[in-house]
Amino acid sequence: MHHPPNLNDWQEPEDMERLPAPPHSWLSRWKKTILRYWSPEKIEAPKVDPSLPDLTGVERSAEVFRYSILSTEYWISPRGYLREWIRFNLRIASILIVPTLLVVPIITFALGQFSTWVALLAATTANMILFPLSALLAVGLISALVYLGKSVVISRRMRRPPPGYYD
C-alpha cells in the first residue's frame, strides 16, 4: 500500500544555505559582472628616487617624468579608480579586438564572395532570358531575309515586259 509523502520531507532544512536569487534585469546582471572585475587598490604616494643626484642626465629626466606621471595619477585618483578604469577598459578592448581581428575579416570576405555569386547568378539569369529572345530575333531576321530574297527572285521571274517593248 502506498502512503502519501510526509510534508516535512518536502521542506528545506533551515540550516541549508540559500543561493542568492539571480538578477532579474539586464542592468543588474551587467552591474554584477562589472563589480566582479572591479577591484581598485589604493595607490601609495610616489616618492622620488633617493639616488637622483647620482643618476645620469637621461636617467634623471626619466625619473622626473616617472614621478610627474605617478604624482598626477595620485592627485587625480588616490584610491586607484583611474588605474582600475583604464585596466577594465583595456580588458574589454582586448575581449572585443579578438573577434574584430579574427571574425570580421572572414565575414567581410564571405559577404564579398556572396555578392560576387549573386552578380554572377543575375548575369546568368539575364543571359538565360536574353538568349532565347536573341535566338528568336536571329531566326526572325533570317526568315525575313529569306522571304525578301524569294520575293525579289520570284518578282523578277514573273515580271512581264511592258506593252510594246518587243514590237
Side-chain angles (χ1 to χ4, degrees):
M1 181 171 213
H2 186 271
H3 295 288
N6 188 356
L7 288 179
N8 291 335
D9 292 342
W10 294 99
Q11 294 175 349
E12 293 181 359
E14 292 166 12
D15 60 341
M16 182 181 225
E17 186 177 314
R18 288 186 176 234
L19 296 173
H24 297 291
S25 70
W26 66 270
L27 186 61
S28 59
R29 284 192 306 260
W30 193 68
K31 182 179 174 185
K32 187 175 181 180
T33 304
I34 287 176
L35 289 178
R36 184 178 338 150
Y37 294 107
W38 183 264
S39 58
E41 297 173 5
K42 193 171 185 177
I43 299 174
E44 294 183 21
K47 296 179 178 75
V48 177
D49 189 4
S51 63
L52 183 67
D54 301 332
L55 298 176
T56 65
V58 175
E59 290 173 339
R60 272 197 310 261
S61 64
E63 176 61 26
V64 168
F65 187 70
R66 181 195 69 84
Y67 178 77
S68 298
I69 296 286
L70 290 178
S71 62
T72 304
E73 180 191 13
Y74 183 76
W75 176 68
I76 291 173
S77 175
R79 293 184 182 162
Y81 291 145
L82 178 64
R83 185 179 289 181
E84 187 62 28
W85 182 79
I86 291 171
R87 185 180 298 138
F88 185 74
N89 282 313
L90 286 175
R91 187 177 294 143
I92 290 174
S94 65
I95 289 170
L96 292 177
I97 202 163
V98 169
T100 301
L101 293 178
L102 296 178
V103 176
V104 170
I106 294 170
I107 292 173
T108 304
F109 176 74
L111 288 176
Q113 291 299 313
F114 181 72
S115 68
T116 304
W117 294 342
V118 168
L120 288 173
L121 284 174
T124 303
T125 305
N127 289 339
M128 290 176 80
I129 291 172
L130 291 177
F131 177 73
L133 292 176
S134 60
L136 192 62
L137 181 64
V139 167
L141 285 174
I142 291 171
S143 298
L145 285 174
V146 168
Y147 177 75
L148 283 174
K150 280 185 179 182
S151 66
V152 167
V153 169
I154 291 175
S155 70
R156 281 192 179 173
R157 285 187 191 165
M158 297 188 66
R159 211 176 356 147
R160 286 186 253 164
Y165 183 72
Y166 291 107
D167 297 335

